[in-house]
Amino acid sequence: MLFLFFVLCFVSLALGSVHIDAGALLRFLGKVLTGKVSIESQEELIIFSVRLPRILFAGVVGAVLSLGGVVFQALLRNPLADPYILGISSGSALGAIIGIVSGAGSFYLGIPLLAFCGALITVFLLFIVAGGAKGALTDNTLLLIGVVINAFFSAAILFFLSIVDSLELHSITFWLMGDLSRASLSEIGVAAFCLIVGFILLYGQARKLNLIVQGEETALHLGVDLERTKPWLLVLTSLIISVVVSLAGIIGFIGIIVPHMMRLIFGSDHRLLLPTSALFGASFLVLADTVARVILTPAELPVGVITALCGAPYFVFLLKRKGL
Amino acid sequence: MPVIRAQKINFSYAEKAVIEEVSFVVDREQMTAIIGPNGSGKTTLLKLINGSLLPDSGEMHVGEKNTFRYARKEIARKVAIVPQETPAVFPFFVEEIVLMGRFPHLGNYRFENKEDYKIVQEAMEKTDTLDFARRRFNELSAGERQRVLIARALAQKPEVLLLDESTAFLDLKHQLRFLTLLKQLNRDDGLAIVFVTHDINLAAQNADKIILLYCGKIYAIGNPAEVISARNMKEVYEVDVLVDAHPQNASPRMTLLT
């Protein structure tokens, strides 16, 4: 799995509007690994300051969104849940946009915080609307609610984008389809930090996720402190998702495809599912982003287009056979 | 020293009283059956014992402590419950399901060690589930699933085992085997067993003590001969029955009259 990830990264480094041959790339990587970071040619500059950060970022975003999918699917006991389908990504994007429009973005951490609030509000909305009847959560009602929330927030995002003529907002597709090319190195660092800390904390809850999947009643009987565990998982997951969304926009469907494929291969134990999903999610988004960069050279597609083109049919396929 | 002591327990969902003024004790070497019509509060009573519900008034003691003083993991090491059915949305292996019983004994970042696997192995031997350890839980028959859930409860290494209609899905052979297992656990390991059942003859033949619930109150409590009487059955279940002695061991036997 790790190997797959590195091979993909390597291929992705080589491909792009400027083609770099594998030998040159290997030599350059060797140089970097031995500690000599001197950039001598234009190609090396492209690798080091354009492609490498972007690939890292794609990896981080893919991993976070897949983890988000795993956790939400477990909490809602529904294999079709994911941060995008449930509207959590758009809620968080809306939060970020409100931050920019209102000027709150000029405060330190203003935008990520508002993105986080957007994500949390969406989660609460989901639980309030779908709550009441306990059985409703396992049902497809929840997905319907998510779709509605998603449509509403997307409309709100478009509304804000049309009334404001700000430079930062000029690209609508950035928010609606996701874009991995905008994040600065330090922002990538923040996202990577969130991923690592988030993963370690989530991993400690893996066994509890296994039990929660067995039904809340069962989890309670076997000793899971649900009143504390559930909010903690929701907040933690919303937090890492919102950081990623505020930097990369909305990228859909990864959270569905990745955990499902991993479940087919490795089974449902979350102690395996969390790390493999993170790794595979990272690989998947690196691949999708590479395709997005290469397919229309020299122009680029938003990466969300690729993930949605693969993900939407997959979603329908899953919905159809539901059996799992 | 009884392992469960309930004193004047009251409990209601919203405004509706479900359990009223219920008092009883369960000893370590006892098999206790809870019987009663639908909606008489049997399952609720089990949940009050394992602390997933707390009484509105009255005291429920498990071991030395009141249930509300227990942390969830702590009480899960004392009391295990076998539910009627579990939803199986995600495919888990049978062995993984049984291993979950070790959860209350493990820390967040600790993996199961040899000891845990040994306990799981034993639990699966006792319940005759080793044959399908590597099969997926959701592919099993209802009876097989029930046995797996019992194995999971045994893996918790509890002092009290609660069973909610566990024999309902079992065929005759497995029902008998299951009751033999319960008696063994009860006698050899000193496990206190409380089981809810609709099968009155099964309760009469196997329990040391029967609690007959009616509308949330204890209508009768005592040994099978005291509780299973034609009069009690008539008043609680509104049916006419004939009660005579079981030919093998003289425990009360009930026959429905039509």
Side-chain angles (χ1 to χ4, degrees):
Chain A
M1 205 82 172
L2 210 58
F3 179 70
L4 172 74
F5 178 64
F6 283 120
V7 169
L8 265 172
C9 286
F10 185 77
V11 172
S12 172
L13 275 176
L15 293 176
S17 39
V18 177
H19 185 76
I20 297 167
D21 72 85
L25 183 56
L26 269 180
R27 254 174 283 132
F28 176 70
L29 285 179
K31 227 167 57 180
V32 174
L33 286 177
T34 49
K36 280 177 275 168
V37 194
S38 60
I39 288 152
E40 283 155 13
S41 67
Q42 198 202 356
E43 293 182 349
E44 292 181 358
L45 185 72
I46 291 175
I47 296 173
F48 196 71
S49 58
V50 181
R51 289 196 191 152
L52 198 57
R54 181 157 173 174
I55 286 167
L56 282 178
F57 190 50
V60 170
V61 172
V64 165
L65 293 176
S66 305
L67 286 175
V70 172
V71 174
F72 280 109
Q73 284 163 24
L75 284 177
L76 301 170
R77 258 161 283 121
N78 190 326
L80 295 174
D82 124 307
Y84 171 71
I85 297 284
L86 295 175
I88 293 160
S89 292
S90 45
S92 140
L94 182 61
I97 288 170
I98 291 174
I100 297 169
V101 171
S102 66
S106 49
F107 297 110
Y108 182 62
L109 283 180
I111 292 174
L113 263 182
L114 276 164
F116 175 55
C117 292
L120 263 193
I121 288 171
T122 316
V123 171
F124 283 128
L125 264 179
L126 275 171
F127 273 86
I128 290 168
V129 181
K134 264 188 186 169
L137 287 184
T138 53
D139 204 11
N140 291 331
T141 333
L142 189 83
L143 298 175
L144 259 176
I145 297 165
V147 169
V148 172
I149 291 181
N150 213 345
F152 181 79
F153 283 166
S154 296
I157 290 171
L158 281 172
F159 171 75
F160 276 113
L161 294 175
S162 358
I163 56 165
V164 183
D165 186 32
S166 150
L167 254 183
E168 284 163 293
L169 293 177
H170 75 110
S171 166
I172 289 176
T173 51
F174 165 61
W175 291 105
L176 292 182
M177 290 317 298
D179 186 343
L180 295 167
S181 62
R182 291 164 174 259
S184 69
L185 261 182
S186 64
E187 286 170 333
I188 295 170
V190 171
F193 176 76
C194 287
L195 168 65
I196 293 167
V197 173
F199 178 78
I200 293 171
L201 292 174
L202 280 177
Y203 197 71
Q205 309 289 314
R207 211 190 306 264
K208 289 184 195 166
L209 285 173
N210 283 345
L211 291 168
I212 288 172
V213 167
Q214 305 302 310
E216 295 200 352
E217 193 103 285
T218 303
L220 197 65
H221 292 326
L222 281 164
V224 179
D225 193 344
L226 277 181
E227 277 160 40
R228 241 181 281 163
T229 306
K230 258 176 78 174
W232 164 236
L233 282 170
L234 285 176
V235 168
L236 185 62
T237 316
S238 305
L239 189 63
I240 56 173
I241 289 172
S242 57
V243 168
V244 160
V245 170
S246 70
L247 296 175
I250 302 170
I251 299 172
F253 292 105
I254 290 192
I256 286 186
I257 303 174
V258 172
H260 181 259
M261 289 175 81
M262 293 303 99
R263 229 177 258 124
L264 282 181
I265 303 173
F266 297 103
S268 305
D269 187 344
H270 284 81
R271 283 174 297 171
L272 261 179
L273 203 52
L274 285 173
T276 51
S277 293
L279 263 180
F280 187 69
S283 314
F284 184 81
L285 198 56
V286 169
L287 178 69
D289 188 45
T290 309
V291 172
R293 279 193 289 129
V294 172
I295 204 164
L296 292 180
T297 329
E300 283 188 9
L301 274 174
V303 64
V305 171
I306 303 286
T307 59
L309 281 179
C310 305
Y314 197 77
F315 178 84
V316 174
F317 160 74
L318 281 185
L319 195 64
K320 278 294 254 188
R321 57 174 271 279
K322 200 75 189 295
L324 277 169
Chain B
M1 173 75 178
V3 65
I4 301 170
R5 272 183 300 142
Q7 282 168 331
K8 302 209 163 179
I9 303 277
N10 283 289
F11 180 82
S12 49
Y13 288 116
E15 295 294 293
K16 195 176 166 292
V18 183
I19 295 288
E20 286 177 74
E21 296 289 308
V22 164
S23 305
F24 63 92
V25 295
V26 172
D27 288 319
R28 245 167 244 285
E29 271 92 48
Q30 247 177 7
M31 294 252 291
T32 306
I34 302 177
I35 58 173
N38 292 331
S40 56
K42 301 185 295 289
T43 302
T44 308
L45 192 56
L46 287 189
K47 287 183 187 169
L48 283 161
I49 295 175
N50 92 341
S52 50
L53 297 175
L54 296 173
D56 298 335
S57 68
E59 293 192 12
M60 180 68 86
H61 284 272
V62 171
E64 298 84 51
K65 280 203 289 188
N66 202 310
T67 47
F68 74 81
R69 296 190 185 280
Y70 279 99
R72 282 303 322 158
K73 266 192 178 182
E74 195 187 356
I75 202 159
R77 290 194 291 262
K78 291 230 171 216
V79 184
I81 188 164
V82 180
Q84 288 174 353
E85 256 286 61
T86 350
V89 188
F90 296 100
F92 275 92
F93 288 114
V94 166
E95 193 182 17
E96 290 173 336
I97 298 271
V98 181
L99 260 175
M100 289 177 193
R102 296 307 294 158
F103 173 78
H105 297 269
L106 296 170
N108 281 350
Y109 289 93
R110 228 201 79 195
F111 273 79
E112 291 87 355
N113 60 24
K114 276 203 182 112
E115 179 69 17
D116 293 310
Y117 278 101
K118 214 183 100 205
I119 291 168
V120 165
Q121 178 88 10
E122 273 173 25
M124 295 184 74
E125 268 166 28
K126 281 180 182 167
T127 48
D128 201 9
T129 50
L130 271 178
D131 289 345
F132 34 89
R134 295 305 294 167
R135 278 175 62 197
R136 297 199 189 266
F137 184 68
N138 48 348
E139 291 163 0
L140 303 180
S141 74
E144 290 169 333
R145 279 214 284 273
Q146 196 65 39
R147 274 146 63 202
V148 172
L149 295 180
I150 293 160
R152 185 181 68 192
L154 291 182
Q156 283 174 255
K157 284 272 159 195
E159 292 171 27
V160 180
L161 186 62
L162 309 177
L163 302 139
D164 196 351
E165 292 278 0
S166 291
T167 48
F169 296 113
L170 301 185
D171 59 36
L172 278 179
K173 173 183 149 199
H174 281 109
Q175 224 180 74
L176 195 67
R177 223 189 258 187
F178 174 61
L179 283 163
T180 317
L181 168 66
L182 286 190
K183 282 178 181 164
Q184 244 170 37
L185 291 167
N186 179 243
R187 208 179 38 232
D188 304 343
D189 305 346
L191 200 62
I193 291 170
V194 180
F195 62 103
V196 163
T197 183
H198 274 298
D199 187 337
I200 291 168
N201 281 330
L202 185 136
Q205 257 192 75
N206 298 286
D208 302 305
K209 180 193 262 179
I210 295 182
I211 298 173
L212 174 57
L213 279 181
Y214 183 50
C215 298
K217 297 192 187 92
I218 292 188
Y219 188 84
I221 183 169
N223 63 40
E226 289 165 339
V227 176
I228 310 298
S229 67
R231 219 192 87 225
N232 283 349
M233 294 301 112
K234 174 80 185 155
E235 307 235 336
V236 170
Y237 289 95
E238 295 163 31
V239 290
D240 292 309
V241 301
L242 173 81
V243 176
D244 59 0
H246 190 281
Q248 199 183 14
N249 54 13
S251 59
R253 180 179 67 174
M254 185 194 88
T255 313
L256 266 176
L257 300 177
T258 47

